Amino acid sequence: MKKVNFESLDPSIQELLKKAEKVRNHSYSPYSQFKVGASVLTEDNEIFAGCNVENATFTSICAERTAYVKAISEGKTKFKAVAVVGFQENFVVAPCGTCRQFMSEFGNVEIYMAKPNLDEIKVSTLDVLLPCQFHFH
Amino acid sequence: MKKVNFESLDPSIQELLKKAEKVRNHSYSPYSQFKVGASVLTEDNEIFAGCNVENATFTSICAERTAYVKAISEGKTKFKAVAVVGFQENFVVAPCGTCRQFMSEFGNVEIYMAKPNLDEIKVSTLDVLLPCQFHFH
Amino acid sequence: MKKVNFESLDPSIQELLKKAEKVRNHSYSPYSQFKVGASVLTEDNEIFAGCNVENATFTSICAERTAYVKAISEGKTKFKAVAVVGFQENFVVAPCGTCRQFMSEFGNVEIYMAKPNLDEIKVSTLDVLLPCQFHFH
Amino acid sequence: MKKVNFESLDPSIQELLKKAEKVRNHSYSPYSQFKVGASVLTEDNEIFAGCNVENATFTSICAERTAYVKAISEGKTKFKAVAVVGFQENFVVAPCGTCRQFMSEFGNVEIYMAKPNLDEIKVSTLDVLLPCQFHFH
Ligand SMILES: [Zn+2]
Ligand SMILES: [Zn+2]
Ligand SMILES: [Zn+2]
Ligand SMILES: [Zn+2]
């Protein structure tokens, strides 16, 4: 993970981060109070944004997976970058292991992880965040 | 569950079923080959459609949950009806227990379950399909 | 669901309930504070008991599924009855939809649901709690 | 990941691997045909072994999580090492992202990953396999 500056980023990545920040408002997280927004940039430069949706019995779906299934259900399966934005001031959210596994099904992507106001951003890749991936094929 | 006829249904429900049938094309189901489409009708009459998205390690997300998180991430949390359409000729798909639990977080809905070509449709409600629901609140 | 009295139950079911109550102590539930114990009675009259094990990212495993995978990993796949015991005084816990789905893979069972001190017990069956089950086969 | 030789391993790790290999026989995997066994060594040198238990709707539980919930439901929460043994000749199974996340709740462990007959073994650690872990605390 390395730190990057918002202004230095490609406009498409800036937009990706802003959409992740905005969709966070729709987070349904009455159990954890932990609001997260995420967005995914497709190979053909569309952005799909999703929030976490919790469940009383903890079969919740994280923001990253929401963004992915939104994109996939619109026919997209090739992705370039993901942004994740949390809600807590002192905290850069990284995708959980379940999301890393889920995303890995669709290939490597850059992953931008930001503090709530996008004033601290770290970047890595899925292959770095999930080494030695488990795949059937 | 009772059988209903497509022509007898309200136009909004016919549209709901057609969108579930159509989105099924985007199903990502290389492991089960079991394509499913689902759609949800919001209280203010918007429709969100989703497909199942599988994962090598079986942390797959069903079509119904995809439809729900799409809607929720667009700010919708009140729903009236759900449609589920499978792919196998002789088979009316009912939502799995995980999806029933997930949907129950957002209240009761009518559930329309159809064969692939919408030529056989059954209807029930979430409260009937998930009796004695587990909730914290 | 009908109410039953502890004393009126078969000794094997009394034992099943007591083991579910006892294993609840091992519940790992720092996120919900909601301790649950469950146990499953195999066809050859062994009992396997499990608790819920939570996870920061809500890929938790409920007590019922813990009990089942314990039994299955010891070579058992035929079950007669399940007991579930919660922790909150005013609350009879029913299995969540995910657990109902998971258990349904192994056939119908009686399900005993009890208040924390076993002073109120309800009984039902999996087929009643998960009507119109989804199965491939 | 580095390769290690069975004979060179500590007897407790040899035993751990043998138990993971043996419990694999109880795998319930009719959907993937992908049998996996796993075992976990507790701080006080007990071994708990589990297999994968699949579900028609892909809310399956992997062998690693089965081993963990078995141990936890017996009161163990401190672990030293995990072994994972698959079934396919040409394949060293690594834990999936969901299992890595689930295990991370209980701290770092050594992870031994072996081919079916234990004739090829790789070793790593959970912290290496799940960098930048997501935790609330
Ligand atoms: Zn996640
Ligand atoms: Zn489902
Ligand atoms: Zn459950
Ligand atoms: Zn796993």
Side-chain angles (χ1 to χ4, degrees), chain A residues 31-32 34 54-55 57-60 62 65 96-98, chain C residues 31-32 34 54-55 57-60 62 65 96-98:
Chain A
Y31 303 108
S32 75
F34 195 83
E54 296 187 355
N55 181 273
T57 60
F58 304 114
T59 53
S60 304
C62 300
R65 282 178 282 157
C96 78
T98 301
Chain C
Y31 304 107
S32 74
F34 195 83
E54 295 187 355
N55 181 272
T57 61
F58 304 114
T59 53
S60 304
C62 300
R65 281 178 281 157
C96 77
T98 302

Side-chain angles (χ1 to χ4, degrees), chain C residues 12-32:
Chain C
S12 68
I13 300 298
Q14 292 186 354
E15 182 69 9
L16 188 70
L17 281 158
K18 280 186 202 155
K19 288 203 169 156
E21 184 191 20
K22 193 173 171 207
V23 76
R24 195 185 50 199
N25 293 325
H26 295 317
S27 166
Y28 177 79
S29 38
Y31 304 107
S32 74

Side-chain angles (χ1 to χ4, degrees), chain A residues 69-75, chain B residues 20 22-28 35-39 49-54 61-67 70:
Chain A
V69 297
K70 281 179 83 167
I72 293 160
S73 66
E74 302 293 334
Chain B
K22 193 174 171 207
V23 76
R24 194 184 53 197
N25 293 325
H26 295 316
S27 166
Y28 177 79
K35 290 173 181 289
V36 182
S39 52
C51 55
N52 55 328
V53 180
E54 295 186 356
I61 295 180
C62 300
E64 298 91 324
R65 281 178 282 158
T66 294
K70 281 179 84 167

